[in-house]
Amino acid sequence: MSLPDYGFYILCGTAVVLLVSEAVRDPGNFAQTAVFGLTQGAIFALVALGYTMVYGIIELINFAHGDVFTLSAYIGTSILGLFAVTEGSFTALNLITLLIIFPVVMLIMGGINVGIERVAYRPLRNAPRLAPLNILPPWTTTVAGVFFGFKDIFVIVTSAVLVALLAVFINRTKLGKAMRATAQDRDAAQLMGIDINRTISATFFIGAVLAGAGGIIYGLYYNTVYYQLGFRTGLIAFTAAVFGGIGNIPGAAIGGLIIGLTAAFSDIYIGGKWTQVVIFGILIGVLVFRPTGLLGMRVPEK
């Protein structure tokens, strides 16, 4: 084990010891913070998956991904507003509306991201790398002093389902196998008859679909959307992707959850004004001590 690996594990071990001590000192507050951290981490994970999928195949970072996330939040909440759906008015009709709006917005954002790939990224594909409103029910409960509601369960379950569906798609479908082959060796995949342009466009589409779901979930959970949302969320999600191992899909999901928990615990135990410093300190630490990330970066086989 190299010296950087020792440094990485020492930092992780120190963080775990500090968290365990806080959990023993005040278990109720610790558990409440963990619930909030998991919910926002689930959102970060959805956005991080888009970053890591695109990088894994074309080795370019889609920095427009955070703006795709923001746009999806605006479109989703605007459509909900057209149906005059408000908080606390949860009915069977509202549930059907939500189930319809989710895939519609995700498909819209997928189409937009395919356009971004065609116009902005395809010309740079072979260039040097430096060239480029709430309708959820107000149900809440308290278990062992920990408060959580339908919102928290909805965010975590929805994100888990989408990540699971992505894993099945990547590992079991023909297009998913084409994506993995393209990520391993683009030229060899093309020689085997794989349509590289179609595969890369599909990757951008799926990444935007996940970001679209994340944008809708964010609007439903926080009840607010602002124009700089994608910049902040995009940077944090990118940090999550790097932390988990850029190009590694399970790593992006785990990285998102860990970063979400880190942000929540930092807000409570260190102070909200230091949270951004802590998050990007993690990014710097990972780049210094473990550049391949927590689960390792997917490196093409030569």
Side-chain angles (χ1 to χ4, degrees):
M1 186 180 295
S2 63
L3 183 60
D5 286 335
Y6 278 118
F8 177 79
Y9 289 120
I10 289 173
L11 288 175
C12 291
T14 302
V16 170
V17 170
L18 292 174
L19 289 175
V20 169
S21 64
E22 289 294 337
V24 173
R25 185 181 65 84
D26 190 352
N29 188 47
F30 181 88
Q32 185 68 73
T33 305
V35 169
F36 180 72
L38 285 173
T39 54
Q40 66 175 352
I43 297 174
F44 293 149
L46 288 177
V47 183
L49 285 169
Y51 279 116
T52 206
M53 286 181 64
V54 170
Y55 182 86
I57 289 184
I58 63 174
E59 296 183 353
L60 286 174
I61 300 298
N62 180 16
F63 282 110
H65 197 61
D67 299 300
V68 171
F69 169 81
T70 303
L71 184 59
S72 67
Y74 273 106
I75 293 176
T77 52
S78 298
I79 295 176
L80 289 174
L82 292 177
F83 287 90
V85 179
T86 59
E87 184 172 6
S89 63
F90 186 80
T91 63
L93 179 61
N94 288 342
L95 178 60
I96 295 174
T97 301
L98 182 62
L99 293 177
I100 294 174
I101 290 175
F102 244 92
V104 168
V105 175
M106 291 163 71
L107 290 174
I108 291 174
M109 300 318 300
I112 290 175
N113 216 32
V114 168
I116 292 174
E117 186 276 330
R118 182 64 183 86
V119 174
Y121 283 93
R122 190 170 298 186
L124 296 175
R125 191 177 298 167
N126 297 315
R129 293 308 173 197
L130 294 179
L133 297 165
N134 196 329
I135 67 170
L136 300 181
W139 173 84
T140 59
T141 188
T142 302
V143 177
V146 179
F147 172 85
F148 63 92
F150 182 84
K151 284 184 178 182
D152 304 294
I153 298 174
F154 174 80
V155 171
I156 295 173
V157 171
T158 302
S159 299
V161 169
L162 290 173
V163 171
L165 289 176
L166 176 63
V168 171
F169 174 83
I170 293 295
N171 292 303
R172 299 296 178 86
T173 67
K174 184 177 180 180
L175 182 55
K177 293 177 181 178
M179 288 180 176
R180 287 187 284 130
T182 304
Q184 280 191 330
D185 192 318
R186 192 187 310 170
D187 294 332
Q190 192 167 19
L191 290 174
M192 295 300 294
I194 294 175
D195 188 334
I196 301 299
N197 290 331
R198 174 175 173 267
T199 302
I200 293 175
S201 294
T203 303
F204 272 77
F205 180 86
I206 295 171
V209 163
L210 295 171
I216 300 173
I217 291 172
Y218 185 96
L220 291 171
Y221 187 78
Y222 291 101
N223 297 328
T224 183
V225 178
Y226 55 96
Y227 73 98
Q228 287 186 320
L229 173 64
F231 177 76
R232 175 183 177 276
T233 306
L235 283 178
I236 295 176
F238 175 68
T239 301
V242 173
F243 181 80
I246 191 72
N248 189 305
I249 290 177
I254 295 173
L257 292 176
I258 292 177
I259 292 297
L261 288 167
T262 300
F265 286 121
S266 176
D267 286 340
I268 297 299
Y269 297 118
I270 301 177
K273 63 183 180 181
W274 290 101
T275 297
Q276 299 293 323
V277 176
V278 171
I279 290 175
F280 296 120
I282 290 175
L283 176 59
I284 295 172
V286 169
L287 292 175
V288 171
F289 295 111
R290 194 176 178 85
T292 58
L294 190 64
L295 299 187
M297 180 174 62
R298 294 287 174 85
V299 180
E301 297 179 1
K302 301 297 184 182

